[in-house]
Amino acid sequence: MVPGIVAFTGKFFPHSFTLLRNVADIMDFFEPDYFIELLFSGLTKGAIYALIALGYTMVYGIIGLINFAHGEIYMIGAFTALIVSTVLSIYGFPLLAIFILAAVAAVVWASAYGYTIERLAYRPLRNAPRLSPLISAIGMSIFLQNYVLLAQTSDFQPFPALVPDFAFMEPVAHIVGSTDLVILVVSVIVMILLTVMIKFTRTGKAMRATAQDKKMALLVGINVDNVISITFITGSALAAIGGLLIASHVGQINFYIGFIAGIKAFTAAVLGGIGSIPGAVLGSFILGLTESFATGYVSSDYEDVFAFSLLVLILIFRPAGLLGKSTIEKV
Amino acid sequence: MLPLKDIRNGLMVAGWFVFLTFPLMVIKVNPVEKTIVWRWPNMLYVAAGSFIAYLYVKLAQKNKKAAILVACWTAYLALPLIRYFMYQDISILIWDTTTSIYAAVGAFHMILTLCLFHKHHILRKILSGIWLLFIGTPVVMLLAQAAGKILLPKIPAALHFLTPFIITIEHIQFWNWIRILWVALACYLLYSSLQTYLASKRNIMPDHLTNEPKIRWSQYLYKRPVYLPLLTFCSTFFLLFPHLFSTYQVNIMISALMYVVLGLGLNIVVGVAGLLDLGYVAFYAVGAYSYALLNMHFDLGFWVVLPIGGILGAFFGILLGIPVLRLRGDYLAIVTLGFGEIIRLVLENWNDFSQGPSGISNIDRPPLPGVDLSLEGSIVYMYYLTIVMVIFTIFVVNRLQDSRIGRAWFALREDEIACQAMGIDKMKTKLTAFALGATWAGMVGVLFAAKTTFVNPASFTFLESAIILCIVVLGGMGSIVGVIISALVLILMPEYLRAFSDYRMLVFGAVLVIMMVFKPRGLISSVRRTYTINDETL
Amino acid sequence: MLEVRNLDTYYGNIQALHDISLHVEEGEIITLIGANGAGKSTTLMSISGIVPPRKGEILFQGDPIHELPPNHIVSLGICQVPEGRHIFPDLTVAENLDMGAFLRNDKKQIARDLDYLYDLFPILRKRRHQPGGNLSGGEQQMLAISRALMAHPKLLLLDEPSMGLAPLVTRQIFDIIKKINQEQNTTIFLVEQNANLALKVADRGYVLENGHITLHDRADALLANKDVQKAYLGM
Ligand SMILES: Nc1ncnc2c1ncn2[C@@H]1O[C@H](COP(=O)(O)OP(=O)(O)OP(=O)(O)O)[C@@H](O)[C@H]1O
Ligand SMILES: [Mg+2]
């Protein structure tokens, strides 16, 4: 047994030191280019997470459901964009038209899926015990993954680059790609639009009222079912935009991309305080940056481990997330 | 029979689904070769499917019995077609035993349909009797088959004239599909006879005029005349199982039974204590890897590691529980999910420790002292070990629910604040539930590693946690019988759906949604035990 | 104006209302009194469509409304101030009032109504940028009533407006209820525990016991009724 122990410990320990790759890599800390590159990749990641996380947080805020099928909506958005853009490019449309039409199609169909899912799988469970809609959501997620797998393919599909390399980005291209820029700009615009909608429009107000007190919302004449549908549609549209952007950034998609992205985005939403919209955005950027810097400076194998460890750490110190309200749960 | 409005709405629903599924179902692109395939027939399938499904749901809402009958008829009529299209088998067209049974089923079915809308009570009872006979026969035959298999070598040759009778049962392949029919019909029969039973028991007053809650069918399971024979039947069935079925089936049953134990373990955490744990599989992984690693490095045997696995599970449960159990409901859910992923990712990436994605193989099977087991023998041994484990778990969980701590869990699930006000230590109570749940997961993990003799991180994904959670919720949160039934259903279903291999996970997801929509409280809602306090002792 | 006929309402399998019939005339204040759990709030919830009745009918200005969704019922002019006020805690006072006018489109008239209410409850004007959750109980009650009035209801359903308030504030609120009834000709359906006060402002009253209506009379007659005095007035 003794040799066993020696072999065991011998295998066990040296490894932990190789986590920090080597001394030369540590010098990278001081290289500004590398730092900025990581910064931007973190921001891009954060923006994408934010687009997905907003859907989670809005749905959670309004019906208190972790919508596990939300990641699948994002994946369906990406697939729709892939199909539409390939068809259009075969028919010889210009790049800009393809980009816009693919985005529109992704948004339309993802919203349609979001709406349908709510009608079929969640609305009948409005008054059911708390865990039943969650199981329904998990079932829906499994169903949609396999639906896309069967209707399309299980292989990775190359995604066309919808964003051209802008000439004005040339000098910094080795640090920040054009796609990163588009992702950041588009997602910031989308988030501003969303904020405006929630703060100032009638629908936005109805959403906030419904989220705070459903019974009272009914009593002031809000059609709560419609508001919930609109929430799903909005969240799905955001996720579809995210799906389109990340797919053209990464360059390939398959039926499974929704799962991990969904879990990460949900993590981000919780990090910021679930139900809080600014919280979701903040959480997403923190998560994106953490992942980017941790993989850049420490180890790329453990990207997700960093994400989840960050979540655990933050929740230990702020049990309701960064911007969440710490209320006592009433059952 | 159907109002025009429903048909119109049905068409609209069909149109919506055609639109919804258009890009994904109809178009298939190849982005590399720049080709498009238009699959127009799919559009037709979607339209027809959604139209029929809509009408069916409408029918079910109006008349439940008619809907069930329609389902039975469809299954009945579709079977030969499916058989034909899948296996090119036209045996149903040739007049033989299969066909005659098929025809008999059809005839009975017809009579039932005709009589169902007939309010005659006695007729219905007689029918139920006939059905019972009809469905009882295969069960008896199955038992006879088993008895024959075991006894055959032992009976003298003179009695072998009996064997053709027994053996013929073995090679008739129509069992496979006729059984499906039987299951469907048995479900129907159970439903209708229970209905009759309930109707005879209940007061004449319709239930909306009484203030008593509706009697749920599951409550009848707790009645002595119902559960005793059922229990006897089930235990005989499970004890004889390895002798009735092939090794392959036994293997499947072992994993189903493992999920029963996992379900019961998670039930302590989710169903009883109300803590939503989405990373339960982490503790399962801890158990499995502790056996794999300890066996590989130190040659420790199964029986030594079994308790160690449980203890390690509990240790990890406490380790995670202490910081996170203060979190409220859904925060807890995502943190446990994250923890589960962390464990899996570490196992996947830390090659020196866990051999990474390729996993650890050649783990010892559990030894039976003094006997050298063949492969088949060791599977049977494994089966009985699992059975013992299941019984042990049921025993412990049952005792726990009635104990002080069990009542504290229930209370905590209902109202945390009131509990604290009554002096229940919230943290300690939750932690106990969490750790106990993790202990079972750890032990089943060891069992799992011993069964498959191979572990790798791919066995411990979030999907596993989700499935175990589904078992608990589908079983009805807190009900032991419910968890057992739903574990068997959810684990065996995908296995037997292997014939439709590509579609099985699709069906699995759909079944989860449908089950929840139509039975949101699970199969069996738990019956709370009541405690009567004797006035005199006060 | 409102006519309720033979209403049966259930929570799951538990029947809360048994064969309730009552009617409210235009311009009246009527009150429904009863012990805890008698089914008063349930009656209001049935009228508002939140807990639809299983049997019976509700007619509003001659049209059946018992199968309409709640938002539709509100749009017909029936508003409720539910028990426990239900202020939207994170919306400001002004936004809360705004939600009351959710179904209205006439901007000018809304602004005028807002002014009228701010004059009626000056404290709300002072707090209009504070979140509703930060108001005191009495202020919240004022906000809840104002929010319902913002919808310009024809019929106002009030569920225990005096709950948890100091006697002085209660008196003030009741004065305002009367004022609204007289100035705006709003019909009022008042549910109250404080039977004494309620019967003093009301024209007619109904007594609800265990989901059954047991008495119906003019308010002053009810005040004088021996049984009512014993059971609800503590005399
Ligand atoms: N959501 C609910 N689910 C089940 N039963 C309910 C529910 N709400 C009320 N009940 C029951 O309905 C009956 C009537 O309740 P209701 O709230 O209408 O009484 P109330 O007259 O308003 O009493 P209070 O004066 O205390 O407000 C009570 O027996 C109560 O237990
Ligand atoms: Mg009340």
Side-chain angles (χ1 to χ4, degrees):
Chain A
M1 197 172 269
V2 174
I5 292 177
V6 171
F8 191 66
T9 46
K11 278 169 119 178
F12 205 90
F13 285 112
H15 181 83
S16 38
F17 297 110
T18 59
L19 270 176
L20 281 177
R21 284 176 187 158
N22 52 47
V23 183
D25 273 0
I26 294 174
M27 293 311 284
D28 283 345
F29 267 101
F30 311 107
E31 251 189 64
D33 270 11
Y34 188 54
F35 179 83
I36 293 173
E37 190 186 326
L38 289 180
L39 179 71
F40 267 88
S41 97
L43 287 177
T44 318
K45 245 186 190 162
I48 297 291
Y49 286 155
L51 286 175
I52 310 172
L54 283 169
Y56 273 113
T57 220
M58 283 163 67
V59 165
Y60 188 90
I62 215 151
I63 53 173
L65 164 73
I66 305 175
N67 180 12
F68 267 103
H70 191 62
E72 268 56 59
I73 297 284
Y74 149 90
M75 176 267 293
I76 285 176
F79 255 96
T80 312
L82 169 76
I83 291 167
V84 171
S85 56
T86 313
V87 170
L88 292 180
S89 74
I90 289 174
Y91 288 117
F93 279 70
L95 201 56
L96 185 67
I98 292 180
F99 182 76
I100 290 172
L101 286 176
V104 169
V107 166
V108 166
W109 264 287
S111 311
Y113 274 94
Y115 171 77
T116 313
I117 291 170
E118 193 269 327
R119 280 299 290 267
L120 289 183
Y122 306 148
R123 189 174 292 184
L125 293 171
R126 216 40 78 61
N127 298 316
R130 202 169 58 92
L131 281 186
S132 306
L134 187 76
I135 301 300
S136 191
I138 292 174
M140 209 23 133
S141 158
I142 296 175
F143 178 84
L144 288 176
Q145 265 177 34
N146 286 279
Y147 158 68
V148 173
L149 166 82
L150 292 172
Q152 293 289 315
T153 168
S154 60
D155 304 330
F156 267 100
Q157 292 274 44
F159 198 93
L162 295 177
V163 180
D165 287 329
F166 300 126
F168 64 86
M169 292 290 288
E170 197 65 57
V172 286
H174 62 289
I175 311 174
V176 189
S178 301
T179 329
D180 295 70
L181 189 74
V182 171
I183 288 179
L184 280 175
V185 170
V186 170
S187 47
V188 166
I189 291 174
V190 166
M191 282 175 223
I192 289 172
L193 285 180
L194 180 74
T195 313
V196 169
M197 167 183 156
I198 296 222
K199 265 237 120 61
F200 300 111
T201 66
R202 210 173 115 86
T203 320
K205 279 182 196 161
M207 273 180 183
R208 281 189 292 155
T210 309
Q212 287 172 34
D213 192 332
K214 217 165 284 148
K215 190 163 158 191
M216 196 58 227
L218 283 169
L219 284 176
V220 297
I222 294 170
N223 187 339
V224 168
D225 280 343
N226 276 358
V227 169
I228 292 173
S229 288
I230 292 173
T231 310
F232 271 88
I233 289 173
T234 319
S236 305
L238 295 179
I241 295 175
L244 169 83
L245 292 175
I246 193 70
S248 57
H249 184 55
V250 175
Q252 58 172 5
I253 58 174
N254 78 346
F255 70 97
Y256 201 63
I257 56 166
F259 175 72
I260 195 73
I263 297 257
K264 291 290 198 54
F266 187 67
T267 303
V270 172
L271 206 62
I274 184 126
S276 148
I277 288 178
V281 176
L282 179 69
S284 301
F285 279 111
I286 290 180
L287 191 71
L289 289 172
T290 309
E291 280 187 6
S292 168
F293 284 116
T295 48
Y297 287 131
V298 188
S299 157
S300 60
D301 287 345
Y302 290 95
E303 176 179 339
D304 299 346
V305 176
F306 292 127
F308 293 122
S309 309
L310 177 75
L311 174 80
V312 176
L313 275 182
I314 286 189
L315 286 186
I316 287 173
F317 293 108
R318 284 195 62 92
L322 291 171
L323 300 183
K325 276 183 302 181
S326 43
T327 46
I328 292 165
E329 189 174 23
K330 194 170 174 300
V331 260
Chain B
M1 195 163 121
L2 282 164
L4 214 60
K5 189 174 136 250
D6 281 347
I7 295 191
R8 203 195 57 214
N9 286 348
L11 287 176
M12 272 161 63
V13 168
W16 172 256
F17 275 98
V18 166
F19 161 74
L20 192 67
T21 54
F22 178 74
L24 286 169
M25 290 290 284
V26 176
I27 310 174
K28 183 160 184 170
V29 293
N30 187 333
V32 184
E33 287 161 17
K34 299 265 176 207
T35 53
I36 317 175
V37 185
W38 299 89
R39 299 169 298 178
W40 296 110
N42 282 352
M43 196 161 164
L44 207 67
Y45 301 147
V46 168
S50 49
F51 181 67
I52 291 170
Y54 177 81
L55 288 190
Y56 184 71
V57 170
K58 278 283 151 207
L59 178 68
Q61 279 169 359
K62 278 186 201 131
N63 188 344
K64 222 169 168 185
K65 274 188 187 162
I68 293 172
L69 261 185
V70 168
C72 290
W73 271 109
T74 319
Y76 179 74
L77 294 176
L79 276 169
L81 288 180
I82 292 175
R83 222 173 135 67
Y84 175 70
F85 282 113
M86 285 190 62
Y87 310 112
Q88 253 70 59
D89 180 346
I90 50 159
S91 64
I92 203 73
L93 298 177
I94 303 160
W95 194 256
D96 61 358
T97 348
T98 318
T99 334
S100 37
I101 291 182
Y102 190 75
V105 173
F108 274 122
H109 221 122
M110 189 80 85
I111 299 173
L112 189 79
T113 316
L114 290 177
C115 294
L116 199 82
F117 299 99
H118 206 273
K119 286 276 177 278
H120 218 289
H121 236 64
I122 298 171
L123 198 62
R124 225 195 244 177
K125 291 232 166 96
I126 294 172
L127 259 175
S128 301
I130 297 175
W131 275 109
L132 207 62
L133 250 179
F134 188 66
I135 288 163
T137 316
V139 176
V140 174
M141 277 155 85
L142 218 67
L143 289 179
Q145 177 191 351
K149 225 178 174 182
I150 302 165
L151 296 179
L152 200 60
K154 295 186 188 126
I155 48 176
L159 289 177
H160 270 198
F161 69 92
L162 280 176
T163 51
F165 173 68
I166 294 160
I167 289 168
T168 38
I169 303 164
E170 263 209 7
H171 74 236
I172 35 173
Q173 31 123 260
F174 65 79
W175 277 104
N176 293 332
W177 61 272
I178 216 94
R179 255 187 226 157
I180 302 170
L181 207 61
W182 260 309
V183 170
L185 294 174
C187 292
Y188 176 72
L189 176 81
L190 264 168
Y191 170 79
S192 62
S193 46
L194 264 172
Q195 280 283 314
T196 343
Y197 180 52
L198 296 193
S200 64
K201 285 274 153 189
R202 217 184 291 142
N203 312 5
I204 315 296
M205 244 191 319
D207 54 51
H208 59 87
L209 288 182
T210 63
N211 271 352
E212 279 156 46
K214 218 163 102 185
I215 303 165
R216 300 187 146 274
W217 66 272
S218 52
Q219 286 174 348
Y220 282 89
L221 279 185
Y222 295 90
K223 296 215 156 153
R224 207 164 249 271
V226 178
Y227 81 74
L228 272 186
L230 213 64
L231 197 67
T232 332
F233 175 75
C234 288
S235 31
T236 338
F237 178 76
F238 279 111
L239 281 180
L240 289 181
F241 193 86
H243 305 290
L244 296 179
F245 295 95
S246 65
T247 316
Y248 171 72
Q249 310 272 359
V250 175
N251 248 328
I252 293 174
M253 191 46 97
I254 295 176
S255 44
L257 288 174
M258 281 180 186
Y259 277 91
V260 170
V261 182
L262 285 174
L264 288 171
L266 185 62
N267 192 29
I268 300 176
V269 186
V270 181
V272 181
L275 305 165
L276 182 47
D277 182 354
L278 289 180
Y280 192 60
V281 79
F283 309 120
Y284 184 45
V286 166
Y289 266 88
S290 55
Y291 182 44
L293 288 171
L294 289 175
N295 186 260
M296 184 172 76
H297 292 294
F298 304 114
D299 261 342
L300 290 186
F302 174 80
W303 291 107
V304 184
V305 184
L306 190 63
I308 297 180
I311 291 167
L312 277 177
F315 172 72
F316 272 82
I318 292 171
L319 201 69
L320 174 68
I322 288 175
V324 308
L325 280 176
R326 316 183 284 137
L327 301 176
R328 63 195 188 84
D330 298 321
Y331 288 88
L332 182 66
I334 187 72
V335 172
T336 46
L337 194 162
F339 178 72
E341 288 292 296
I342 291 178
I343 296 268
R344 184 179 64 80
L345 289 164
V346 167
L347 289 176
E348 207 155 86
N349 289 306
W350 195 354
N351 287 324
D352 304 338
F353 174 68
S354 64
Q355 306 195 352
S358 54
I360 300 171
S361 48
N362 288 328
I363 305 167
D364 290 341
R365 292 174 189 280
L368 183 60
V371 186
D372 233 356
L373 287 169
S374 63
L375 180 64
E376 204 163 308
S378 68
I379 288 174
V380 173
Y381 177 52
M382 194 69 215
Y383 176 83
Y384 285 113
L385 270 183
T386 321
I387 288 276
V388 170
M389 184 85 177
V390 171
I391 293 172
F392 174 62
T393 314
I394 293 176
F395 175 74
V396 173
V397 171
N398 205 11
R399 299 294 305 175
L400 270 176
Q401 288 195 351
D402 285 342
S403 69
R404 238 179 100 79
I405 185 96
R407 277 172 289 153
W409 288 334
F410 271 121
L412 208 61
R413 181 178 83 176
E414 301 304 328
D415 193 332
E416 269 189 20
I417 300 161
C419 277
Q420 277 173 297
M422 301 209 314
I424 293 175
D425 182 345
K426 187 172 106 181
M427 203 52 207
K428 217 173 88 191
T429 315
K430 281 185 174 182
L431 206 57
T432 324
F434 214 65
L436 262 175
T439 312
W440 294 115
M443 290 205 286
V444 186
V446 175
L447 214 57
F448 171 78
K451 180 207 160 203
T452 52
T453 70
F454 166 72
V455 291
N456 72 346
S459 311
F460 308 105
T461 56
F462 168 68
L463 188 67
E464 291 306 299
S465 295
I467 289 176
I468 303 171
L469 182 69
C470 293
I471 288 173
V472 175
V473 177
L474 201 66
M477 298 275 286
S479 146
I480 294 176
V481 183
V483 167
I484 296 173
I485 295 177
S486 70
L488 292 179
V489 170
L490 283 189
I491 304 306
L492 295 182
M493 181 182 66
E495 291 299 338
Y496 287 110
L497 282 175
R498 272 197 199 280
F500 311 89
S501 54
D502 291 344
Y503 295 94
R504 70 194 186 105
M505 285 318 278
L506 188 83
V507 173
F508 181 76
V511 166
L512 281 184
V513 175
I514 292 170
M515 285 279 216
M516 278 300 120
V517 168
F518 290 101
K519 271 204 137 325
R521 276 162 208 285
L523 293 173
I524 295 186
S525 31
S526 66
V527 177
R528 198 77 63 74
R529 236 162 280 219
T530 49
Y531 299 89
T532 37
I533 298 168
N534 203 335
D535 279 340
E536 287 153 34
T537 57
L538 286 177
Chain C
M1 168 181 237
L2 180 80
E3 171 135 23
V4 174
R5 286 189 197 147
N6 311 98
L7 215 60
D8 281 356
T9 300
Y10 292 78
Y11 288 105
N13 288 309
I14 299 165
Q15 187 167 8
L17 298 183
H18 300 263
D19 202 24
I20 299 281
S21 297
L22 48 83
H23 65 102
V24 186
E25 300 305 329
E26 183 129 23
E28 260 190 327
I29 300 184
I30 74 148
T31 181
L32 183 64
I33 57 179
N36 291 123
K40 305 180 297 293
S41 306
T42 310
T43 311
L44 294 194
M45 286 304 169
S46 285
I47 296 173
S48 286
I50 309 277
V51 188
R54 200 173 288 179
K55 263 207 207 124
E57 347 181 77
I58 305 172
L59 303 179
F60 184 62
Q61 297 179 322
D63 300 323
I65 58 165
H66 51 273
E67 280 176 345
L68 298 180
N71 55 316
H72 210 125
I73 293 176
V74 175
S75 72
L76 292 175
I78 302 181
C79 281
Q80 188 186 150
V81 179
E83 193 174 4
R85 305 183 271 269
H86 288 271
I87 298 299
F88 299 115
D90 294 340
L91 300 188
T92 63
V93 170
E95 281 174 320
N96 262 290
L97 289 173
D98 206 29
M99 288 318 300
F102 187 74
L103 293 175
R104 292 173 60 187
N105 288 320
D106 43 345
K107 278 226 172 78
K108 273 191 206 133
Q109 187 60 38
I110 291 177
R112 230 174 295 148
D113 283 353
L114 196 63
D115 253 6
Y116 173 80
L117 286 169
Y118 278 153
D119 290 342
L120 212 56
F121 300 104
I123 189 82
L124 293 184
R125 175 171 283 148
K126 225 166 49 193
R127 309 246 150 151
R128 63 179 181 275
H129 296 305
Q130 276 187 21
N134 292 0
L135 301 187
S136 80
E139 289 162 349
Q140 285 193 353
Q141 189 65 58
M142 295 176 202
L143 177 56
I145 294 177
S146 314
R147 181 178 55 191
L149 288 175
M150 281 302 286
H152 222 299
K154 296 178 185 137
L155 172 65
L156 181 62
L157 311 174
L158 288 169
D159 198 346
E160 303 199 22
S162 73
M163 190 163 82
L165 301 186
L168 207 66
V169 186
T170 311
R171 191 87 45 77
Q172 195 188 345
I173 292 219
F174 271 77
D175 285 344
I176 286 167
I177 291 172
K178 253 188 152 153
K179 193 168 161 194
I180 298 162
N181 175 248
Q182 279 154 14
E183 284 182 8
Q184 306 209 334
N185 197 28
T186 309
T187 314
I188 287 174
F189 188 149
L190 178 65
V191 162
E192 255 304 340
Q193 285 288 343
N194 189 340
N196 200 358
L197 215 54
L199 289 172
K200 275 184 186 143
V201 297
D203 300 315
R204 286 186 300 119
Y206 289 87
V207 177
L208 195 61
E209 269 175 37
N210 290 330
H212 298 271
I213 293 218
T214 52
L215 266 179
H216 163 221
D217 211 334
R218 296 199 51 76
D220 40 5
L222 282 179
L223 266 177
N225 185 312
K226 280 266 149 41
D227 292 339
V228 175
Q229 281 183 351
K230 219 163 92 192
Y232 302 106
L233 304 175
M235 284 194 248

